């Protein structure tokens, strides 16, 4: 993907390009930019040429995961050599780079490096992390996180029905999970289940080839079609105590990891907007009607400016969340407000961008069609608009409006 030219007067072009109108990417260090440049080149050369084909077939370009694993993106040596740590800001811009190309790729990588690894790091004992940490970072140990259930999504905090019963030196799991991304090509599934004895939620690493564990791909999706979401059925699946995450002993323990994960969706939604804006701007400069590029028309420019404003306001919120995380933590309410605001404006931009392409906006040969469809998934997961709104509403009023 080529960076669009900088439209700011004076100053260098920011790392992202003209879509980063205020230069937020200037906050990245040279070492961080080097890693992200490596990722950008790989996505442009290896991913972009095949995405429309895989998206239309509803298949996952799994070969890309092996290539991504070789790019050293999780705990990059570039940062260690520069004496730097992996910042939340770097992780955020890494998510942005994926999402500005395709939302499914962000989940292909992030489901492992973000969600699965984050849950294990938050819940694993020191001994477990010593055993699994390096393998997770290198993708030698692959996994997914399984929380949502067929009958419980927004109310999952009180609705976990998957049950774990202690038996000898292990546990027996019964239940079902739904919408689990990357399940079919993961070695492990981190299963959230309610302990039959104390009623508290715990997390178990079950092998996806364990007897009694069945994975079925969800068919007929119209969004994030390259993500292999799946149903998981658990019928007497045995998991040893050594594979129970020792530091997650209640839903409250698990919920603390979501405060880390929800900002990832903000970055993904921001990246989608930037990729969308770049694609639409390029199209309007190239497309001619009435003998002129449509980018020269007033109403087209109005839409483009709205999209640019949405993208940069979203980027400001995403950057601030990462700064707060690097300084000590993001509250659930701060993450929820950012998620709902950014995704609302992402949805608006996706509609405006599709509109500017006219009929071409629904064709896969133009990237805008994928962005438009995939925005609907980002709008919904990691907390719906309504749930995040109620989280913030409770914080500012002191009154809970949850049923």
């Amino acid at each position: 993907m080529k960076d669009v030219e900088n439209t700011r007067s004076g100053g260098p072009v920011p790392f992202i390009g003209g879509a980063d109108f205020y230069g937020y990417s200037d906050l990245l260090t040279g070492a961080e930019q080097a890693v992200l440049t490596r990722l950008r080149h790989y996505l442009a050369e290896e991913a972009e040429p095949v995405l429309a084909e895989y998206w239309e077939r509803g298949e996952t370009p799994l070969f890309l995961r092996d290539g991504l694993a070789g790019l050293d993106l999780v705990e990059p040596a570039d940062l260690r050599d520069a004496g730097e740590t992996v910042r939340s800001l770097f992780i955020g811009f890494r998510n942005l780079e994926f999402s500005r190309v395709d939302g499914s790729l962000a989940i292909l990588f992030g489901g492992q490096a973000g969600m699965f690894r984050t849950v294990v790091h938050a819940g694993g004992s020191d001994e477990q992390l010593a055993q699994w940490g390096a393998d997770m970072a290198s993708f030698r140990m692959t996994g997914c996180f399984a929380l949502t259930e067929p009958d419980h999504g927004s109310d999952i905090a009180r609705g976990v029905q998957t049950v774990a019963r202690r038996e000898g030196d292990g546990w027996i799991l019964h239940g079902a999970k739904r919408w689990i991304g990357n399940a079919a090509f993961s070695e492990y599934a981190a299963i959230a289940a309610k302990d039959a004895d104390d009623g508290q939620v715990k997390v178990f690493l079950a092998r996806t080839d364990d007897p009694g564990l069945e994975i079925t791909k969800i068919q007929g999706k119209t969004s994030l079609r390259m993500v292999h979401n799946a149903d998981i059925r658990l019928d007497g699946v045995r998991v040893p105590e050594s594979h129970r995450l020792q530091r997650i002993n209640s839903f409250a323990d698990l919920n603390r990891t979501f405060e880390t994960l929800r900002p990832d969706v903000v970055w993904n939604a921001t990246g989608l907007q930037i990729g969308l804006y770049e694609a639409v701007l390029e199209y309007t400069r190239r497309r001619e009607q009435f003998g002129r590029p449509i980018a020269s028309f007033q109403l087209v420019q109005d839409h483009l400016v709205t999209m640019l404003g949405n993208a940069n306001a979203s980027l400001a919120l995403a950057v601030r969340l990462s700064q707060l995380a690097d300084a000590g933590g993001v509250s659930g309410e701060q993450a929820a407000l950012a998620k709902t605001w950014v995704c609302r404006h992402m949805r608006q931009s996706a509609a405006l961008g599709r509109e500017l392409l006219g009929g071409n906006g629904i064709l896969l040969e133009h990237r805008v069609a994928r962005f438009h469809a995939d925005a609907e998934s980002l709008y919904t997961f990691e907390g719906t608009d309504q749930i995040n709104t109620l989280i913030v509403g409770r914080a500012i009023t002191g009154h809970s409006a949850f049923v």
Side-chain angles (χ1 to χ4, degrees):
M1 177 185 301
K2 296 180 180 179
D3 288 340
V4 296
E5 66 185 56
N6 185 21
T7 53
R8 296 185 300 167
S9 58
V13 177
F15 175 72
I16 293 176
D20 180 10
F21 207 69
Y22 296 93
Y24 286 105
S25 54
D26 295 344
L27 297 170
L28 293 166
T29 67
E32 289 169 333
Q33 290 193 17
V35 178
L36 296 177
T37 298
R38 188 161 66 238
L39 170 61
R40 182 178 299 178
H41 289 162
Y42 179 83
L43 294 176
E45 295 166 7
E46 302 297 330
E48 284 191 357
V50 303
L51 291 181
E53 175 187 352
Y54 274 87
W55 199 95
E56 185 166 27
R57 295 204 311 256
E59 297 178 2
T60 303
L62 193 56
F63 74 93
L64 293 173
R65 188 171 68 173
D66 294 334
L68 291 169
L71 294 180
D72 190 22
L73 301 172
V74 179
E75 296 176 346
D78 309 61
L79 302 189
R80 292 197 302 273
D81 293 345
E84 300 173 11
T85 59
V86 178
R87 298 190 294 167
S88 296
L89 190 69
F90 165 76
I91 294 171
F93 275 102
R94 186 183 67 196
N95 291 340
L96 184 151
E97 285 294 324
F98 277 105
S99 295
R100 77 192 292 224
V101 175
D102 188 89
S104 294
L105 292 183
I107 294 173
L108 178 65
F109 181 85
Q112 162 78 21
M115 186 168 289
F116 176 70
R117 185 169 173 268
T118 296
V119 170
V120 175
H121 266 265
S125 65
D126 292 342
E127 294 77 11
Q128 289 173 325
L129 296 182
Q131 178 183 356
W132 300 325
D135 286 344
M136 287 190 296
S138 66
F139 282 58
R140 291 190 300 269
M141 177 184 181
T142 58
C144 60
F145 177 49
L147 174 62
T148 301
E149 299 190 350
D151 297 324
H152 295 281
S154 295
D155 67 343
I156 193 65
R158 289 183 281 179
V160 174
Q161 294 182 339
T162 299
V163 173
R165 297 183 184 279
R166 187 66 188 260
E167 187 175 287
D169 61 353
W171 299 79
I172 306 297
L173 274 56
H174 290 273
K177 298 294 179 179
R178 185 163 174 81
W179 293 113
I180 310 307
N182 296 349
F185 35 83
S186 292
E187 182 183 8
Y188 287 94
I191 306 290
K194 185 178 293 184
D195 185 338
D197 289 334
D198 63 14
Q200 296 296 319
V201 170
K202 298 177 171 61
V203 177
F204 305 84
L205 296 194
R207 289 190 59 91
T208 54
D209 59 357
D210 278 341
L213 193 153
E214 178 184 356
I215 295 173
T216 305
K217 180 180 179 180
I218 296 174
Q219 302 286 350
K221 293 194 307 171
T222 62
S223 181
L224 291 176
R225 285 178 50 78
M226 289 188 293
V227 176
H228 188 141
N229 293 100
D231 287 309
I232 298 179
R233 296 204 63 82
L234 303 139
D235 185 10
V237 176
R238 177 175 287 276
V239 179
E241 168 65 10
S242 62
H243 280 60
R244 180 180 69 83
L245 299 185
Q246 300 296 306
R247 291 175 177 160
I248 296 179
N249 294 293
S250 68
F251 195 88
D253 291 340
L254 180 59
N255 194 47
R256 281 191 284 273
T257 68
F258 299 152
E259 295 179 3
T260 302
L261 293 170
R262 191 166 284 124
D264 287 351
V265 182
V266 174
W267 278 100
N268 288 337
T270 300
L272 185 150
Q273 290 182 70
I274 288 175
L276 171 75
Y277 169 79
E278 291 172 334
V280 173
L281 179 61
E282 178 186 1
Y283 179 90
T284 60
R285 286 170 165 173
R286 184 179 68 251
R287 173 73 167 175
E288 292 190 0
Q289 293 287 280
F290 306 103
R292 297 166 55 191
I294 65 173
S296 68
F297 299 152
Q298 290 181 352
L299 293 178
V300 170
Q301 291 186 7
D302 178 75
H303 282 5
L304 287 170
V305 170
T306 297
M307 294 169 64
L308 179 64
N310 286 347
N312 278 266
S314 297
L315 184 55
L317 280 170
V319 166
R320 184 56 181 156
L321 285 182
S322 289
Q323 290 174 331
L324 290 170
D326 285 329
V330 177
S331 73
E333 294 80 11
Q334 288 171 325
L337 179 59
K339 199 275 180 180
T340 192
W341 193 95
V342 167
C343 286
R344 285 180 186 179
H345 289 78
M346 169 198 65
R347 208 180 192 194
Q348 179 195 31
S349 291
L352 293 176
R354 207 289 312 156
E355 179 182 329
L356 286 179
L357 267 68
N360 286 334
I362 65 170
L363 295 176
L364 284 177
E365 65 184 88
H366 303 283
R367 290 181 289 146
V368 173
R370 284 188 284 112
F371 289 132
H372 181 250
D374 290 347
E376 288 303 299
S377 291
L378 286 176
Y379 179 73
T380 298
F381 66 53
E382 289 299 332
T384 65
D385 180 82
Q386 292 82 5
I387 292 297
N388 281 302
T389 296
L390 293 181
I391 290 172
V392 179
R394 180 177 58 194
I396 63 177
T397 68
H399 297 285
S400 175
F402 286 93
V403 175

